[in-house]
């Protein structure tokens, strides 16, 4: 038999086809055997079918919510400690107003933190004011400062905070700073990080990434929380990263970032402190002993009114999808109004349907989103949901004066969810996030007033005008929507 010169090439081609088929089938079978949301499963199968080698590698790196065995062991250990510390949480759910007891019960079971009655919350809607107050609190610190942020940036007021921490360390205050390894990579390689360590500030990176670790656990699971606790008496949390909006992402062409934070005193400070402690122990390789919380008989307040509030953290290995469950339950409970502010909006079918049902029942549903986002694909994926929402009667307003980054949900002017959670797949299912669940009319009214100020600088989408957008735009929306579970 005579063999042509091209036969070896054909054999190589056949092997490549068989390998491609094996990789595609392997991913499909793995997706079918692993619990993914349906949209996410479809997106992975589509990506692997179209780009088999690339899709297979991406699935190995990002396909499943895994922290690696070492982190998982530490997480289970610290979760047991948390349950022991807050053994009384089931006795606190009755502190909520009677009409919200179901949400309170759900939140305590999901978040594993107690509902607190004696806490004061001051809403801060100006980033410069927030950072100035934080610097002042750091300068007045006597014993201990603990902080964790997704992004710690360099420049402007962020440098003022860094300088204040160094001053505190020099006068003998213990300082512990935890930042996300990816979100704060610029800071971790800066002179500020070297000065922190030189001055005795304990600086650690959460969820560090290397080539080896990427093969064992997902590299895109991130610590997205923002918390600062001063002397175990004052706490900050909300949407603001440690970044000056005058300096942060100036080349992104989205305008200044607009954020909101809470300055808290009272019982809620203990919960926020314990959460930083938990993250330090679970998400880092640090062997440094983290100080225990000192219970104080004296509880200080910022304001005369005292809110009933609890924290609801979420993330892989804890209570999965805690914030998504809580937001959907809050939407179902709404009788008059729902206000949602979010920089990124890819809600998924469950949340989108809940919003449509609320609007169809006569609840006034208002979404306030940024006109421009720093992610073009997220923008187009969000628009894919607009048609059905608008037809159901949901009001969608696009903020025009910058990158609106505040994250809040307000129900009937009485209940608020406020923190770091975006209305997207990453926040709902993947990252380590935090929301404050607040049962307080006074605080909710302040959040609603802030939402009204955002609405004044926004333009509302008209359904009939929306239908006139081009076919090309609709195609980009559709393509982004197909990949939205992976964004």
């Amino acid at each position: 038999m005579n063999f042509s010169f091209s036969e070896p090439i054909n054999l190589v081609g056949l092997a490549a086809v068989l390998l491609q088929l094996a990789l595609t089938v392997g991913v499909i079978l793995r997706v079918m055997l692993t619990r993914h949301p349906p949209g996410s499963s479809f997106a992975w199968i589509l990506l692997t079918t179209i780009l088999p080698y690339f899709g297979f590698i991406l699935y190995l790196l990002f396909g499943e919510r895994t922290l690696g065995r070492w982190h998982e062991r530490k997480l289970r250990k610290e979760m047991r400690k948390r349950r022991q510390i807050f053994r009384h949480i089931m006795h606190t759910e009755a502190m909520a107003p009677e009409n919200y007891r179901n949400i309170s019960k759900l939140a305590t079971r999901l978040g594993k933190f107690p509902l607190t009655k004696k806490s004061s919350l001051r809403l801060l809607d100006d980033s410069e004011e927030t950072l100035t107050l934080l610097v002042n609190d750091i300068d007045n610190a006597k014993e201990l400062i603990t902080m964790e942020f997704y992004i710690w940036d360099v420049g402007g007021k962020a440098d003022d905070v860094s300088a204040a921490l160094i001053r505190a360390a020099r006068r003998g205050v213990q300082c512990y700073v935890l930042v996300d390894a990816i979100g704060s990579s610029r800071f971790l390689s800066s002179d500020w990080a070297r000065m922190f360590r030189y001055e005795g500030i304990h600086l650690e990176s959460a969820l560090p990434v290397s080539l080896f670790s990427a093969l064992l656990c997902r590299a895109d699971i991130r610590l997205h929380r923002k918390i600062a606790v001063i002397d175990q008496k004052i706490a900050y949390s909300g949407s603001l990263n440690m970044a000056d909006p005058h300096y942060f992402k100036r080349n992104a062409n989205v305008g200044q970032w607009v954020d909101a934070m809470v300055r808290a005193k009272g019982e809620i400070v203990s919960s926020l402190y314990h959460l930083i402690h938990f993250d330090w122990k679970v998400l880092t390789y640090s062997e440094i002993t983290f100080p225990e919380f000192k219970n104080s008989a004296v509880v200080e307040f910022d304001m005369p009114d005292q809110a009933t509030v609890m924290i609801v953290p979420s993330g892989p290995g804890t209570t999965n999808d805690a914030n998504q469950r809580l937001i959907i339950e809050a939407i179902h409970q709404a009788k008059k109004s729902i206000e949602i502010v979010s920089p990124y909006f890819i809600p998924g079918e469950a949340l989108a349907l809940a919003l449509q049902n609320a609007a169809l029942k006569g609840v006034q549903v208002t979404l306030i989103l940024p006109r421009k986002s720093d992610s073009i694909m997220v923008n187009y994926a969000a628009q894919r949901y607009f048609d059905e929402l608008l037809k159901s009667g949901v009001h969608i307003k696009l903020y025009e004066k910058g990158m609106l980054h505040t994250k809040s949900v307000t129900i009937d002017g009485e209940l608020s969810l406020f923190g770091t959670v975006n209305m997207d797949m990453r926040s709902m299912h993947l990252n380590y996030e935090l929301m404050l669940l607040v049962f307080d009319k006074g605080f909710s009214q302040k959040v609603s007033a802030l939402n009204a100020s955002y609405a004044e600088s926004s333009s509302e989408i008209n359904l009939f005008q929306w239908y006139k957008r081009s076919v090309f735009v609709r195609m980009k929306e559709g393509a982004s929507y197909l990949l939205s579970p992976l964004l």
Side-chain angles (χ1 to χ4, degrees):
M1 182 182 292
N2 293 324
F3 294 96
S4 68
F5 179 76
S6 63
E7 191 162 349
I9 299 177
N10 291 335
L11 289 174
V12 170
L14 178 61
V17 169
L18 291 174
L19 177 61
Q20 176 178 325
L21 182 61
L23 294 179
T24 303
V25 171
V27 170
I28 291 172
L29 291 175
R30 181 63 185 176
V31 167
M32 290 171 63
L33 294 171
T34 306
R35 183 175 172 81
H36 288 280
S40 177
S41 298
F42 175 74
W44 280 117
I45 291 171
L46 178 67
L47 180 63
T48 308
T49 302
I50 297 173
L51 302 169
Y53 302 108
F54 182 65
F56 175 76
I57 293 170
L58 282 182
Y59 189 82
L60 283 180
L61 296 176
F62 307 118
E64 297 174 19
R65 289 187 292 190
T66 175
L67 288 171
R69 292 181 180 179
W70 186 76
H71 273 127
E72 287 175 355
R73 283 197 299 269
K74 293 204 301 178
L75 189 145
R76 286 194 296 270
K77 178 182 176 182
E78 293 303 316
M79 286 294 289
R80 287 195 296 270
K81 285 185 180 179
R82 184 198 295 181
R83 285 192 288 269
Q84 184 65 21
I85 292 170
F86 296 117
R87 295 185 300 274
H88 62 297
I89 61 171
M90 299 311 172
H91 303 294
T92 65
E93 58 194 32
M95 295 178 182
E98 190 171 348
N99 56 323
Y100 290 123
R101 291 280 168 81
N102 287 339
I103 292 180
S104 173
K105 185 181 294 185
L106 178 65
T108 53
R109 280 159 174 73
L110 291 174
K112 307 295 191 298
F113 277 94
L115 188 60
T116 65
K117 191 82 171 176
K118 298 178 180 179
S119 301
S120 66
L121 303 176
R122 178 180 174 185
L123 182 63
L124 303 169
D125 60 0
D126 182 273
S127 298
E128 186 169 349
E129 178 191 7
T130 301
L131 295 173
T132 299
L133 277 171
L134 182 57
V135 167
N136 184 63
D137 286 335
I138 292 171
D139 283 336
N140 289 319
K142 301 293 191 296
E143 298 179 6
L144 177 64
I145 299 168
T146 55
M147 308 173 78
E148 70 174 21
F149 285 87
Y150 171 57
I151 294 173
W152 196 301
D153 199 31
V154 175
K157 283 282 185 180
D159 288 354
D160 292 347
V161 175
S162 298
L165 278 171
I166 290 174
R167 291 194 297 270
R170 286 174 177 172
R171 64 177 185 270
V173 177
Q174 294 184 73
C175 299
Y176 294 78
V177 175
L178 176 61
V179 296
D180 184 79
I182 299 297
S184 300
S185 57
R186 181 183 173 206
F187 176 81
L188 289 167
S189 62
S190 72
D191 290 337
W192 282 112
R194 288 185 281 274
M195 284 190 287
F196 272 25
R197 295 188 172 106
Y198 177 80
E199 297 292 346
I201 296 172
H202 303 297
L203 174 64
E204 292 288 345
S205 60
L207 300 167
V209 177
S210 65
L211 180 60
F212 177 72
S213 68
L215 297 176
L216 299 177
C217 55
R218 282 192 66 159
D220 62 334
I221 296 175
R222 305 316 320 157
L223 174 66
H224 197 237
R225 307 198 244 259
K226 294 95 175 166
I227 312 172
V229 179
I230 316 296
D231 280 341
Q232 299 184 343
K233 294 179 180 178
I234 303 169
Y236 290 78
S237 190
S239 68
L240 178 64
N241 287 296
M242 186 51 63
D244 189 328
H246 296 286
Y247 289 79
F248 185 60
K249 289 192 175 183
R250 285 184 293 184
N251 298 324
N253 195 32
V254 294
Q256 282 193 18
W257 290 52
V258 178
D259 282 284
M261 293 285 277
V262 160
R263 184 176 186 265
K265 288 187 175 182
E267 294 176 336
I268 194 63
V269 175
S270 169
S271 296
L272 290 165
Y273 183 87
H274 278 102
L275 187 57
I276 297 178
H277 191 173
F278 176 88
D279 291 338
W280 185 281
K281 299 285 282 186
V282 172
L283 305 181
T284 77
Y285 296 106
S286 176
E287 297 181 358
I288 297 170
T289 301
F290 198 92
E292 298 295 330
F293 187 83
K294 297 177 181 178
N295 289 315
S296 174
V298 179
V299 179
E300 299 180 5
F301 298 104
D302 230 5
M303 304 165 67
D305 59 321
Q306 297 174 24
T308 301
V309 56
M310 69 179 299
I311 69 170
V312 185
S314 64
T318 57
T319 302
N320 289 336
D321 312 333
N323 282 297
Q324 183 190 39
R325 294 169 187 259
L326 197 60
I327 290 169
I328 289 175
E329 179 63 23
I331 289 170
H332 289 325
Q333 294 260 345
K335 300 294 189 295
K336 296 179 292 184
S337 64
I338 299 168
E339 299 170 6
I340 294 178
V341 179
S342 179
Y344 311 108
F345 185 77
I346 308 177
E349 299 309 315
L351 182 52
L353 192 61
L355 290 171
Q356 292 170 40
N357 285 349
L360 290 169
K361 288 189 297 185
V363 177
Q364 181 166 317
V365 182
T366 304
L367 302 179
I368 305 177
L369 315 172
R371 166 73 70 178
K372 289 184 179 181
S373 163
D374 59 331
S375 174
I376 295 175
M377 283 192 70
V378 169
N379 259 5
Y380 282 119
Q383 291 175 190
R384 181 63 177 78
Y385 289 93
F386 287 2
D387 286 42
E388 295 301 320
L389 291 169
L390 290 167
K391 285 193 290 186
S392 299
V394 175
H395 300 275
I396 303 176
K397 301 183 179 184
L398 302 180
Y399 185 76
E400 306 281 1
K401 289 190 174 181
M403 175 58 193
L404 181 60
H405 195 242
T406 301
K407 307 127 191 309
S408 68
V409 179
T410 310
I411 306 295
D412 293 342
E414 297 176 343
L415 171 72
S416 295
L417 287 155
F418 182 90
T420 71
V421 178
N422 300 311
M423 297 294 154
D424 66 3
M425 305 297 183
R426 185 161 295 279
S427 277
M428 296 293 183
H429 304 295
L430 198 59
N431 288 338
Y432 286 93
E433 303 282 0
L434 170 66
M435 292 197 85
L436 300 178
L437 173 61
V438 187
F439 302 97
D440 183 75
K441 287 185 180 180
F443 180 79
S444 294
Q445 288 170 0
K446 290 172 185 174
V447 176
S448 289
L450 178 59
N451 295 343
S453 71
Y454 294 151
E456 288 178 1
S457 301
S458 304
S459 56
E460 185 166 352
I461 296 178
N462 179 279
L463 177 59
F464 297 105
Q465 291 296 322
W466 184 248
Y467 281 148
K468 295 180 180 179
R469 67 196 190 285
S470 68
V471 173
F472 182 60
V473 169
R474 292 170 188 260
M475 289 176 64
K476 288 192 286 187
E477 291 171 2
S480 300
Y481 173 74
L482 288 176
L483 296 176
S484 64
L486 313 181
L487 297 178

